[in-house]
């Protein structure tokens, strides 16, 4: 019997309430999936169901499928999308999804809440230097000159208690401010620039392509890149599975890890080819897709950055304690 991910996620919604949300966007048309996959088919391939967020970097999974990389590693990948990023975690935990790609802080939060999650591979990283892929924008005449200047001001983020407010708070501390004096409001990315223009927000945290669009307006100014200031090269997504699946299907997990690592290296080397898939994948304008600034795709698990992320999240009370990243990473 086939289900869409929306059905799977509905059954996981109660568990998801305890987890950190991540990701915004419009679904690109979820593929139907069979519950209880990871069984060898008549073609000798092992079918796995992979959950992804409907955001531009997720196109690398489609790239790997279309280029035959997953098939080369013995896998028949069926990917499915949902904007409910946090709900993918309990769906992976219950086995409705074999793997998923999502925000690493959400994975750390899931472990902190008692779910047995394992990081399989890296996926995408923000830029350690130069122009980053998300930033905080203020009005040019706001008088706000650094992150410390956000004290007492309200900054919009797409979801509370995730990497947006976390890195902005740490950036304020680095700039000599009081992170506890910052205020945050949850808001969808497409609404943020208009609310900034109207004076309803003092600052907005925007990813691409919203960031470039906002900065094209001379009335707006870039305050800075909080990922880069807090943890240079901060991972934006990782691939993960459940501890149960990793224990029961170690060969499949190893094949997926190898395929994902090869896929991400190939997509990074062929960003033009990967971006060419975005109009179909995201229903994105071809010109916007062509000029889109992208994260760095990399399948190597960024252990040092993840450990720093865990420690920072624990310091700022996003987590009760920092999980052992090495222990929750598939070797």
């Amino acid at each position: 019997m086939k289900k869409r991910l929306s059905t799977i996620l509905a059954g996981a919604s109660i568990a998801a309430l305890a987890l950190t949300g991540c990701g915004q966007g419009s679904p690109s048309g979820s593929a139907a999936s069979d519950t209880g996959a990871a069984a060898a088919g008549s073609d000798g391939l092992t079918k796995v169901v992979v959950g992804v967020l409907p955001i531009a970097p997720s196109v690398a999974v489609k790239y790997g499928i279309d280029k035959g990389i997953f098939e080369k590693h013995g896998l028949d990948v069926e990917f499915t999308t949902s904007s409910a990023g946090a709900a993918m975690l309990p769906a992976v935990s219950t086995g409705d999804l074999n793997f998923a790609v999502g925000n690493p802080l959400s994975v750390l939060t899931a472990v902190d809440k008692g779910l047995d999650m394992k990081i399989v591979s890296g996926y995408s990283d923000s830029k350690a230097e130069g122009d980053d892929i998300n930033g905080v924008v203020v009005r040019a005449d706001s008088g706000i000159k650094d992150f410390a200047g956000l004290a007492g001001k309200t900054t919009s983020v797409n979801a509370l208690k995730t990497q947006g407010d976390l890195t902005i708070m740490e950036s304020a501390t680095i700039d000599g401010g009081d992170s506890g004096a910052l205020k945050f409001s949850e808001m969808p990315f497409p609404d943020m620039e208009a609310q900034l223009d109207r004076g309803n927000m003092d600052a907005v945290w925007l990813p691409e392509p919203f960031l470039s669009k906002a900065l094209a307006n001379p009335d707006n100014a870039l305050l800075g890149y909080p990922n880069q200031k807090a943890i240079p090269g901060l991972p934006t997504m990782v691939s993960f599975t459940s501890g149960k699946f990793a224990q029961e299907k170690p060969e499949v997990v190893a094949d997926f890890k190898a395929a994902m690592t090869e896929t991400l290296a190939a997509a990074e080397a062929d960003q033009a080819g990967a971006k060419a898939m975005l109009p179909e994948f995201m229903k994105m304008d071809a010109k916007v897709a062509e000029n889109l600034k992208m994260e760095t795709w990399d399948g190597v698990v960024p252990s040092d950055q993840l450990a720093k992320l865990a420690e920072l999240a624990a310091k700022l009370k996003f987590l009760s304690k920092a999980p052992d990243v090495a222990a929750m990473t598939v070797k």
Side-chain angles (χ1 to χ4, degrees):
M1 178 178 178
K2 295 199 169 185
K3 299 181 181 179
R4 289 190 179 276
L5 184 59
S6 56
T7 304
I8 294 171
L9 296 180
S13 60
I14 294 176
L17 291 176
L19 303 176
T20 301
C22 63
Q24 295 287 337
S26 300
S28 59
S30 300
S33 61
D34 287 323
T35 303
S42 58
D43 54 5
L45 300 177
T46 300
K47 179 181 175 182
V48 293
V49 182
V50 181
V52 301
L53 294 167
I55 56 178
S58 298
V59 77
V61 176
K62 177 174 171 56
Y63 183 94
I65 293 170
D66 289 1
K67 296 296 183 181
I69 298 173
F70 288 100
E71 185 175 353
K72 169 187 167 183
H73 288 273
L75 300 175
D76 173 14
V77 171
E78 200 163 2
F79 78 89
T80 184
T81 64
S82 171
S83 59
M88 288 197 298
L89 289 146
V92 168
S93 181
T94 58
D96 289 310
L97 295 175
N98 303 123
F99 300 95
V101 177
N103 183 313
L105 182 53
S106 291
V107 181
L108 295 173
T109 301
V111 172
D112 190 50
K113 298 293 185 181
L115 290 182
D116 184 11
M117 293 286 119
K118 297 293 183 184
I119 296 171
V120 178
S121 74
Y123 190 89
S124 59
D125 306 322
S126 55
K127 303 296 184 182
E129 56 186 23
D131 294 338
D132 207 353
I133 43 74
N134 64 55
V136 173
V137 176
V138 297
R139 297 292 283 177
D141 61 359
S142 67
I144 302 171
K145 302 301 182 183
D146 58 18
F147 287 99
L150 293 175
K153 309 293 186 181
T154 301
T155 302
S156 65
V157 293
N158 69 309
L160 298 175
K161 294 294 182 181
T162 186
Q163 288 187 198
D165 44 356
L166 181 80
T167 55
I168 293 169
M169 290 172 71
E170 179 65 5
S171 295
T173 299
I174 292 171
D175 282 348
D178 176 9
S179 64
L182 274 62
K183 301 175 184 178
F184 295 95
S185 175
E186 192 170 293
M187 183 181 299
F189 290 130
D191 298 341
M192 290 185 184
E193 186 181 356
Q195 294 304 312
L196 180 68
D197 291 344
R198 292 169 187 161
N200 295 330
M201 289 291 127
D202 299 297
V204 293
W205 178 66
L206 293 167
E208 292 293 353
F210 304 102
L211 178 60
S212 290
K213 180 177 178 294
L215 293 178
N217 182 347
D219 292 331
N220 296 330
L222 176 71
L223 184 64
Y225 300 122
N227 284 11
Q228 203 171 85
K229 182 178 281 284
I231 303 176
L234 179 70
T236 54
M237 291 198 289
V238 295
S239 77
F240 57 95
T241 189
S242 68
K244 182 175 186 289
F245 190 79
Q247 182 176 21
E248 293 179 351
K249 302 285 185 178
E251 299 87 357
V252 176
V253 174
D255 289 341
F256 183 81
K257 182 182 180 75
M260 186 64 84
T261 300
E262 183 176 341
T263 287
L264 295 168
E268 178 64 21
D270 181 26
Q271 282 217 2
K275 288 180 184 180
M277 297 179 177
L278 284 172
E280 177 188 353
F281 182 76
M282 288 283 296
K283 303 296 185 287
M284 181 182 288
D285 179 81
K287 196 65 177 177
V288 173
E290 181 182 353
N291 296 321
L292 187 66
K293 295 176 185 176
M294 296 286 283
E295 290 96 322
T296 299
W297 281 308
D298 189 352
V300 176
V301 176
S303 300
D304 289 345
Q305 286 87 349
L306 287 172
K308 291 176 181 177
L309 176 63
E311 291 166 3
L312 177 59
K315 182 184 82 170
L316 294 178
K317 309 300 182 184
F318 282 44
L319 303 175
S320 64
K321 63 179 180 180
D324 184 343
V325 172
M328 58 181 288
T329 300
V330 172
K331 301 300 185 284

